[in-house]
Amino acid sequence: MTWNTNLRWRLPLICLLLEVVMVVLFGVFVRYDYEADAHWPEERRHRNIVSDSENDFYYRYPSFQDVHVMIFVGFGFLMTFLQRYGFSAVGFNFLLAAFGIQWALLMQGWFHAFQDGYIVIGVESLINADFCVGSVCVAFGALLGKVSPIQLLIMTLFQVTLFTVNEFILLNLLLVKDAGGSMTIHTFGAYFGLTVTWVLYRPNLQQSKERQSSVYHSDLFAMIGTLFLWMYWPSFNSAVSNHGDAQHRAVINTYCSLAACVLTSVALSSALQKKGKLDMVHIQNATLAGGVAVGTAGEMMLMPYGSVIVGCISGIVSTLGFVYLTPFLEAHLQIQDTCGIHNLHGMPGLIGGIVGAVTAAYANSEVYGHEGLVQAFDFEGSNSNRTTQLQGSFQAAGIFVSLAMALVGGGIVGIILKLPCWGQPADENCFEDKIYWEIPEKQEEENYRPEDPTLSL
């Protein structure tokens, strides 16, 4: 089938229209919170705050920087493994994230920070917006190389909306704990993306198969993304935790889990390959699964040995997924998962949700202390009669809510994205930068097939 991929008018129109809407909505609704407002000196005296150093900015900004780098550099470069799709991997990730954080500030503001007719934002709002966009970057991994930038913007619009609703249900109604987003970010993002790519199944994708592979330098660039993500993941899982012991614990648990995950990923990669050679795909991706799997229980009393066990298991499961499950899903369920997000985010996200539910259910005052238990699970006010067993049940329910939202929402969004007006590439031209980018002439290769010039606008 021949598609019209000339976006000369459509892409500028969509980008400018969305940005005009953002300007209007920000002007009407968004204001600084009291810690970022010029009235901070009066607020400080009113709240008996001794020093400017107690402003939340000084606690949260280092974590915000790390999370921001993960979204724009980590995820962007992780997806540059395709030999002729590096511009699109980094550039489209940049585009969808830049739009997504604006829409996320609005959506999350309406649900979580709406006061006296205004959305008030501070540095924690920026972190949460990045988290929201993180789920979109996860979904993008399943669609990499097969969609247009317009489709990605439309998907971002809907996914951020659905993410916020799902997050509100889990955190505000079910009152689950999910500091690192195993359920809200990774499980939701992965199964949303997998559902969309299932709806957008391309029966003739084999025509682009020669480009759906890496070369030496593209894998090296992708490894840059891996290392940024691996180093900053402790900040990701602890960024919005309560100051003090919870945040400290989340960093330690993530650190241990990631370290253990590397060894089991390398071990399985070598064991499952001929002559014991390592597969770079496994090292780029499966080594990060430990950070995903410890996200929900990160700030709980999982204990360092528990974190190591979770990391070991997630590395094994993720590597096995790349070797056996990804080919099975494509061959039998028509799920064309370009980056293997099911192995890095989907299954480890489910592991993280299960670990969080079990850890919460077995929590007790002997381990946490009475006051520590109350603070860890917010057993205060109307929630003061909740038991840890009930908390564990709600944690488990959060997994199923996230899956349901992802599957239903992904199906609907996939149908919308299947319309032929979004400038998507033909099956024979997938995984090709030249469709949407100006490429230096000496880099062009002969196996690119030009689109039908009669369709140019």
Side-chain angles (χ1 to χ4, degrees):
M1 181 181 292
T2 303
W3 301 94
N4 178 7
T5 57
N6 188 325
L7 304 181
R8 184 176 182 183
W9 300 112
R10 285 175 289 177
L11 182 58
L13 181 63
I14 291 293
C15 287
L16 293 175
L17 177 62
L18 289 173
E19 194 55 41
V20 167
V21 173
M22 293 299 104
V23 170
V24 172
L25 292 176
F26 268 69
V28 172
F29 290 107
V30 181
R31 300 293 184 268
Y32 302 119
D33 76 359
Y34 74 91
E35 290 185 303
D37 193 89
H39 293 87
W40 164 246
E42 291 90 344
E43 283 288 337
R44 195 181 71 186
R45 287 193 296 270
H46 177 70
R47 297 169 183 262
N48 294 318
I49 297 174
V50 178
S51 169
D52 281 335
S53 63
E54 295 185 51
N55 190 303
D56 203 41
F57 173 85
Y58 297 100
Y59 291 101
R60 300 292 186 191
Y61 190 71
S63 295
F64 164 71
Q65 286 180 304
D66 294 350
V67 173
H68 215 46
V69 168
M70 290 179 68
I71 299 301
F72 287 91
V73 178
F75 279 110
F77 276 89
L78 182 63
M79 292 184 279
T80 59
F81 67 95
L82 293 173
Q83 58 182 285
R84 295 175 61 182
Y85 210 68
F87 283 15
S88 300
V90 176
F92 292 164
N93 184 79
F94 192 13
L95 174 66
L96 70 84
F99 166 61
I101 57 178
Q102 296 176 75
W103 184 228
L105 284 171
L106 289 164
M107 285 300 305
Q108 293 181 315
W110 282 319
F111 276 85
H112 300 291
F114 199 60
Q115 302 175 10
D116 301 322
Y118 294 111
I119 296 168
V120 292
I121 65 171
V123 68
E124 190 169 342
S125 308
L126 309 185
I127 296 172
N128 284 318
D130 276 356
F131 280 174
C132 181
V133 168
S135 77
V136 183
C137 295
V138 169
F140 176 35
L143 304 169
L144 187 70
K146 301 172 293 186
V147 291
S148 73
I150 295 178
Q151 286 177 300
L152 290 173
L153 287 170
I154 299 300
M155 184 186 79
T156 302
L157 178 68
F158 285 105
Q159 188 175 350
V160 167
T161 304
L162 291 168
F163 173 94
T164 307
V165 174
N166 181 60
E167 181 186 55
F168 181 80
I169 293 172
L170 265 64
L171 302 187
N172 293 73
L173 301 183
L174 298 180
L175 300 176
V176 306
K177 307 297 288 184
D178 192 30
S182 293
M183 296 182 287
T184 55
I185 299 172
H186 301 288
T187 300
F188 173 79
Y191 289 100
F192 181 93
L194 291 169
T195 306
V196 172
T197 198
W198 174 71
V199 175
L200 299 180
Y201 175 72
R202 290 174 173 270
N204 299 314
L205 192 62
Q206 192 69 26
Q207 297 177 21
S208 295
K209 203 67 177 178
E210 72 277 6
R211 291 190 296 273
Q212 196 181 358
S213 60
S214 63
V215 291
Y216 191 85
H217 69 268
S218 67
D219 268 336
L220 199 57
F221 271 108
M223 197 63 196
I224 293 173
T226 298
L227 292 175
F228 269 103
L229 291 169
W230 195 91
M231 289 188 300
Y232 290 146
W233 216 295
S235 294
F236 189 93
N237 282 354
S238 64
V240 294
S241 296
N242 292 330
H243 300 319
D245 65 291
Q247 196 167 44
H248 198 165
R249 202 158 48 239
V251 169
I252 294 172
N253 286 334
T254 308
Y255 184 94
C256 293
S257 182
L258 284 166
C261 183
V262 173
L263 272 72
T264 53
S265 298
V266 170
L268 263 289
S269 180
S270 177
L272 297 173
Q273 299 299 310
K274 293 180 179 179
K275 298 183 180 180
K277 294 184 178 181
L278 299 173
D279 188 327
M280 197 58 164
V281 173
H282 307 156
I283 309 307
Q284 290 164 355
N285 295 276
T287 54
L288 300 171
V292 177
V294 81
T296 297
E299 60 182 13
M300 300 179 192
M301 290 289 286
L302 183 59
M303 306 306 290
Y305 71 85
S307 304
V308 171
I309 292 171
V310 171
C312 290
I313 293 171
S314 59
I316 293 169
V317 170
S318 182
T319 307
L320 289 172
F322 277 104
V323 175
Y324 299 112
L325 194 53
T326 296
F328 176 85
L329 292 177
E330 182 168 354
H332 299 284
L333 298 182
Q334 299 184 341
I335 297 175
Q336 297 163 327
D337 181 7
T338 307
C339 290
I341 65 169
H342 188 239
N343 312 310
L344 172 53
H345 301 279
M347 292 189 294
L350 292 176
I351 291 172
I354 294 168
V355 170
V358 173
T359 306
Y362 284 93
N364 57 68
S365 56
E366 183 178 341
V367 174
Y368 286 78
H370 176 72
E371 188 175 349
L373 187 67
V374 170
Q375 289 186 352
F377 296 101
D378 295 326
F379 289 163
E380 300 174 305
S382 60
N383 199 33
S384 59
N385 292 325
R386 178 177 286 200
T387 63
T388 55
Q389 290 77 17
L390 184 60
Q391 180 69 32
S393 300
F394 278 102
Q395 294 282 151
I399 302 172
F400 294 101
V401 172
S402 294
L403 284 171
M405 290 289 292
L407 297 176
V408 175
I412 295 171
V413 173
I415 292 170
I416 295 171
L417 297 184
K418 202 167 187 176
L419 297 173
C421 59
W422 305 124
Q424 52 266 57
D427 288 358
E428 65 269 20
N429 285 329
C430 288
F431 316 113
E432 174 59 68
D433 268 339
K434 193 179 176 184
I435 297 290
Y436 302 113
W437 297 86
E438 290 288 344
I439 305 295
E441 290 186 9
K442 64 180 180 180
Q443 300 292 333
E444 295 180 7
E445 295 182 20
E446 295 179 359
N447 62 350
Y448 163 67
R449 304 177 187 182
E451 302 289 334
D452 187 348
T454 63
L455 293 174
S456 297
L457 296 178

